[in-house]
Amino acid sequence: MCNRYLWSPEPRPDGHDRRLARVVPLADVGCNAGIAQEEMLRVSAETLTVVDNRTGERYEVPIQDGTVKAMDFRRMRTSADDFGLMVYDPAFTNTASCRSEITFIDGDAGVLEYRGYPIEELAEKSTYLETAFLIVHGHLPSAAELKEWTHNITFHTFVHENVRRFMEGFRYDAHPMGVLVSSVAALSTFYPDAKDVDDAASRDLQTWRLIAKVPTLAAFAYRHSRGLPYVYPDNDLTFAGNFASMLWRMSESSYVASSVIERALNVLFILHADHEQNCSANAMRAVGSSRPDPFVATAAAAAALYGPLHGGANEAVLLMLNEIGDVRNVSEFVKHVKAGERRLMGFGHRVYKNYDPRARIIKATADEVFDVTGRNPLLDIALELERIALEDDYFIERKLYPNVDFYSGLIYQALGFPVEMFPVLFAIPRTAGWVAQWREMVTDPEQKIARPRQVYTGARGQKYVELGRR
Ligand code: CMC
C-alpha cells in the first residue's frame, strides 16, 4: 500500500472550497508509475512535503503566496474518525487571515504603503480625505472624484440631535473613548438601512457616514469632558479644519485653525489611517463577518483600539514620561524595563522589527508643531529614552524601536489635548481603514464567519453535584 499523497490542482469534487487543493493518495495515480514520480517533481517546487510520523504518511501541501492552507492539514489523520490536524496559533502571530490589497508593511525594512503608495509621500503631499479615498477605493481620486467624495463626506458630518442628547447623559468625567465607542454603536439605531451589507450603494453611504460622523462624535466627547457646549460642524471648512473648529471654537462666529496645526492633523490622520491586520482591523473583520451593520462593527474595532497595547499606547507613553519626570531618571527607568518589571511604552511592534516609518514622520512633524505651540518639556525625556534604548543590547536584540505612538502623544499634548483624548484621535482616521477592511471582507468570496478552533484542555464528563452537596 502506497501512502504518499500528491497535490492536485483540480477542483475538489465536494466543491467545499474551490481554491483548496485536493490531496489525493499516490495510489490513485499509480504509486510506482513514472507519471507519479514526474508529477511529484513538477509540483515539488511550490509544495511543502509533510511526513506525519504518527502514521508514516507523507503529504504534499501546496504553497501559494508564501502560505500553506491550514485546511490542508485537516487531512492528516491517524484514523478515519480522527478530526485531523489543526494549526495552533494564539494571537495569530503567524497566520494570514485574509488576502488584502489595502496596506503593505515590510516590518524588517520599515516600509508602509497604502495601495502601493509609500507613507512618506502621502504624508508629504496628500490630505487625509484624499488618502481615505485611496484606502477605501484603491486608487488616487481624479479631481472630479475627490470633489464628489469631499462633498459626500462633508454632507454627512452632522449627527441626529438625539445622539447629542444621549451623549449629554454620560458622566462629566466619562473617558471620551468610552463615549466614542458607545455613540458609534448607537449610530446603528439611527440607520437601519445599514444592515444591507450586501448592497454596494448602502456600503458607500455607510462609508461616508462613518468617516464624516466619527470626528463629530469625537469632538462632542472632548467638549463633554471639558464641560463645554458642543460645537456643530462647519461645512465650509476642510475635514481637519472642521475638526479643529468643533474642538476649539468658543464665541467666535467661525474658527480657523493655524495652517501648521491643520497640516499636522492631516499628517497624523494620514499616518494612522490603516495598518493592515492589526488588533482593531481584525476586530472589524471578525465582528463584520457575522454581517451586522458596520456601525456596531466599527464600535467593536474602536473598543479594540482602546487598549494600552494598541491605540491606547500613546496615552500610556505620556503617563510613562510623566512618571519618569526628569531626564536624569531615564536610565533608572530603563533598568526596570530590562528587568522585565515594566514595558517601554511606544516601543516595539508585532510587525515592525525596524524603526516604524510613521514614528520618523511624526518626530519631524512634532518639531513644526512645537514652533507654534511651544516645546513640550517631555520631549527631552522621550529623546533620552530613545537614545539609550537604541544603543542598548536588550532593545537591539529584541528589535524594539519607537513606534507610531512614541511621539504622537507629545504632539497631542502640545495641542492641548488631555491624554484620554489620544486614542480618540487615533480612531478618527483609522475609521477609513476599518471601513476599507470591512468592505474588502464582505465582498471577498473566500471569507466566512470568523470562527477559530480551540485546543480544549478542560475537564470532561463531570457529574453535576447539587448546590447543597458541594
Ligand atoms: N518594552 C520592553 N520590552 C518589550 C517591549 C517593550 N515595549 N515590547 C516587547 N518587549 C520584549 C518582551 O518582553 C519580549 O521579551 P522576551 O523575549 O525576553 O520575553 C520581547 O520583547 C518580544 O515581545 P512580545 O510581547 O512577544 O512582542 P509582541 O509582538 O507580542 O508585542 C507589542 C508587540 C506592541 C504589544 C509590544 O511591543 C508592546 O507591548 N509595546 C508597548 C505598547 C505599544 O507601544 N503599543 C503600540 C503598538 S504600535 C500602535 C498600534 O499598532 O496600535
Side-chain angles (χ1 to χ4, degrees), residues 309-310 313 343-350 394 398 403 405:
L309 299 189
H310 190 9
R343 281 221 156 182
L344 182 47
M345 301 311 286
F347 259 69
H349 200 276
R350 172 62 58 77
Y394 176 93
R398 290 168 180 77
N403 60 48
D405 291 314

Side-chain angles (χ1 to χ4, degrees), residues 134-196:
L134 170 71
I135 287 173
V136 169
H137 290 293
H139 63 274
L140 281 171
S142 66
E145 283 173 324
L146 184 59
K147 192 168 169 216
E148 192 186 351
W149 170 253
T150 305
H151 169 81
N152 287 333
I153 304 285
T154 309
F155 187 79
H156 286 97
T157 50
F158 277 70
V159 291
H160 195 286
E161 273 297 283
N162 285 356
V163 174
R164 205 192 105 96
R165 284 195 204 103
F166 81 70
M167 284 182 84
E168 283 169 357
F170 285 104
R171 279 178 63 92
Y172 70 97
D173 59 351
H175 195 295
M177 198 59 183
V179 176
L180 182 74
V181 169
S182 325
S183 52
V184 172
L187 291 181
S188 160
T189 65
F190 291 86
Y191 305 111
D193 57 308
K195 287 187 177 55
D196 196 359

Side-chain angles (χ1 to χ4, degrees), residues 100-105 111-122 134-135 138-140:
S100 182
E101 298 180 348
I102 302 169
T103 293
F104 171 80
I105 299 175
V111 170
L112 169 61
E113 295 172 358
Y114 299 151
R115 303 283 187 179
Y117 293 92
I119 192 69
E120 291 81 2
E121 213 172 340
L122 292 169
L134 170 71
I135 287 173
H139 63 274
L140 281 171

